[in-house]
Amino acid sequence: MSQATATSHSGRRRHDREIVALAVPAFGALVAEPLFVMVDSAIVGHLGTPQLAGLGVAAALLTTAVSIFVFLAYATTAAVARRLGAGNLASAIRQGMDGIWLALLLGIAVIAVALPSAPWLVDVFGASDTAAPYATTYLRISSLGIPAMLIVMAATGVLRGLQDTRTPLYVAIGGFAANGALNAGLVYGAGLGIAGSAWGTVIAQVGMAAAYLIVVVRGARRHGASLRPDAAGIRASAQAGVPLLVRTLSLRAVLMIATAVAARLGDTDIAAHQIILSLWTLMAFALDAIAIAGQAIIGRYLGANDTEGAREACRRMVQWGIASGVVLGALIVLARPLFIPLFTGDQGVQSTLLPALLVVAVCQPIAGVVFVLDGVLMGAGDGRYLAWAMLITLAVFAPVALLVPMYGGGLTALWWGMALMMTVRMVTLWLRTRSGRWIVTGATR
């Protein structure tokens, strides 16, 4: 084996170790998040159908509100990782604190909107007369935990930027366990009903935020970083987050359009679509874990002025994304006789589901590349390009999706439209990474 080949193999092994060390715990933490809603649903479901329906409406509103601010994690990860790579740990933690202060301010603003408007939001979302009171109760109480949820996002970004995805995993597991125990105790033990479920979730989220703050504050004190809010730093965090907010809203618009079109196709199609969307989300967690590793690793390399290391890490993560997509696609095809009956026994839904599911399986390698390159560009702080790329994708997808019912297409045609959407994303992201314009070194972009 030549020296160059040995060096290449050594570099790949190093990148592989970094990716696995960051991605595996990140995947565990990502999977733990939706389990909160699942536990709430399982406990509240025994109270009655109106209570469960109310929970469904309120949980959907909360999930939408919180997911909009996911940039708190993404932008903070990239900014902290850059400063870590530049060798300035105190500055990295200081930047993380700015993100946490921004999260707190945004959380307070959301509460100010959610509390008075809860009945209106529930009504707009289409809750029935019997479910609406329960939805309003759950939404109002749970909204009190939104600042904690956003602090958890920002603090998670701090630790990811510091190349630590294990602590978020441990906190997520602890939060999940506490949420389950508190829900059961307050709903049934204290007899609070759906309000008890909401309070249990709020307490668990506050506990998670407190755990993160203890870790971050200890690090700040150890390295002499200030904990006080800094207006300029908070403003910089917000400015870095705006393009990622545009990207996230555009992506949410794609998913909302797809669901609206599926609903027009009929009850069978929308039922099948919801099942596919659930599986799509689960697979997205696996691919997003690699993207999270990409954010942390790329940010660190660019902060350290190591452009070649950043390029090599990017290439290796793309290979990981493709391989993961192939594996996930194969699992969908091979396991479909096992899991489809778990979701529905309706033969009509099953027959509608199957061909569309095969489309999802085929495009998983494309999704793997998309998630990885998305993470790479986030790690590079290239948010403005990501925003424009997602707006272009939305502009391509929307008319294609809306034409599906007009021309008599079914759910499979709609998911071919989703495959087109992912392909457009892949092309736009690939062109950017190939150009090298994302490579900007230094402690700040």
Side-chain angles (χ1 to χ4, degrees), residues 278-410:
S278 298
L279 292 168
W280 175 278
T281 302
L282 180 61
M283 290 179 291
F285 285 141
L287 298 175
D288 202 27
I290 304 174
I292 287 169
Q295 294 170 31
I297 292 169
I298 293 298
R300 193 187 76 237
Y301 275 120
L302 293 179
N305 297 314
D306 187 352
T307 57
E308 188 55 36
R311 289 181 186 276
E312 289 177 0
C314 176
R315 284 193 292 267
R316 191 57 177 164
M317 280 184 285
V318 168
Q319 292 169 1
W320 270 79
I322 294 172
S324 299
V326 169
V327 170
L328 290 172
L331 284 174
I332 292 172
V333 174
L334 296 174
R336 70 189 188 281
L338 300 176
F339 65 74
I340 289 179
L342 295 177
F343 286 97
T344 178
D346 188 312
Q347 292 299 316
V349 175
Q350 288 187 8
S351 61
T352 303
L353 172 67
L354 185 57
L357 194 62
L358 294 177
V359 175
V360 174
V362 168
C363 73
Q364 282 309 294
I366 296 174
V369 175
V370 168
F371 274 81
V372 166
L373 294 183
D374 210 36
V376 166
L377 296 183
M378 283 183 190
D382 203 6
R384 185 171 297 180
Y385 182 85
L386 288 172
W388 280 110
M390 199 62 229
L391 285 170
I392 291 170
T393 302
L394 175 60
V396 172
F397 172 76
V400 171
L402 294 174
L403 287 172
V404 168
M406 290 177 60
Y407 285 90

Side-chain angles (χ1 to χ4, degrees), residues 24-35:
V24 172
F27 175 69
L30 288 169
V31 170
E33 291 174 11
L35 292 178

Side-chain angles (χ1 to χ4, degrees), residues 70-346:
V70 72
F71 69 83
L72 290 167
Y74 294 159
T76 305
T77 297
V80 171
R82 272 186 175 271
R83 287 161 175 78
L84 176 69
N88 194 338
L89 193 52
S91 176
I93 298 174
R94 172 66 262 181
Q95 180 65 34
M97 285 303 305
D98 291 335
I100 290 172
W101 280 111
L102 175 62
L104 177 61
L105 294 174
L106 289 172
I108 293 171
V110 173
I111 288 179
V113 173
L115 285 179
S117 63
W120 176 78
L121 290 169
V122 166
D123 182 61
V124 168
F125 213 78
S128 67
D129 291 339
T130 54
Y134 297 110
T136 301
T137 296
Y138 190 94
L139 182 58
R140 277 182 165 159
I141 296 172
S142 292
S143 66
L144 299 176
I146 287 179
M149 295 181 197
L150 299 188
I151 288 172
V152 166
M153 276 190 181
T156 300
V158 176
L159 295 181
R160 287 173 181 171
L162 296 174
Q163 318 295 295
D164 176 11
T165 55
R166 289 182 179 273
T167 299
L169 172 61
Y170 300 147
V171 174
I173 293 172
F176 168 69
N179 182 61
L182 286 165
N183 268 259
L186 294 174
V187 170
Y188 298 114
L192 296 179
I194 195 169
S197 176
W199 280 117
T201 300
V202 169
I203 295 169
Q205 291 287 353
V206 170
M208 291 173 67
Y212 274 116
L213 289 175
I214 289 171
V215 173
V216 175
V217 168
R218 282 179 178 173
R221 288 176 174 169
R222 188 182 307 120
H223 298 284
S226 173
L227 297 174
R228 294 180 179 179
D230 176 66
I234 294 172
R235 188 164 54 250
S237 294
Q239 289 171 348
V242 168
L244 295 181
L245 175 62
V246 172
R247 167 203 167 273
T248 300
L249 290 174
S250 300
L251 183 56
R252 296 292 300 183
V254 165
L255 298 177
M256 289 173 65
I257 290 169
T259 300
V261 170
R264 289 188 188 181
L265 298 176
D267 290 348
T268 298
D269 291 84
I270 186 62
H273 176 75
Q274 287 303 115
I275 293 171
I276 294 176
L277 209 55
S278 298
L279 292 168
W280 175 278
T281 302
L282 180 61
M283 290 179 291
F285 285 141
L287 298 175
D288 202 27
I290 304 174
I292 287 169
Q295 294 170 31
I297 292 169
I298 293 298
R300 193 187 76 237
Y301 275 120
L302 293 179
N305 297 314
D306 187 352
T307 57
E308 188 55 36
R311 289 181 186 276
E312 289 177 0
C314 176
R315 284 193 292 267
R316 191 57 177 164
M317 280 184 285
V318 168
Q319 292 169 1
W320 270 79
I322 294 172
S324 299
V326 169
V327 170
L328 290 172
L331 284 174
I332 292 172
V333 174
L334 296 174
R336 70 189 188 281
L338 300 176
F339 65 74
I340 289 179
L342 295 177
F343 286 97
T344 178
D346 188 312

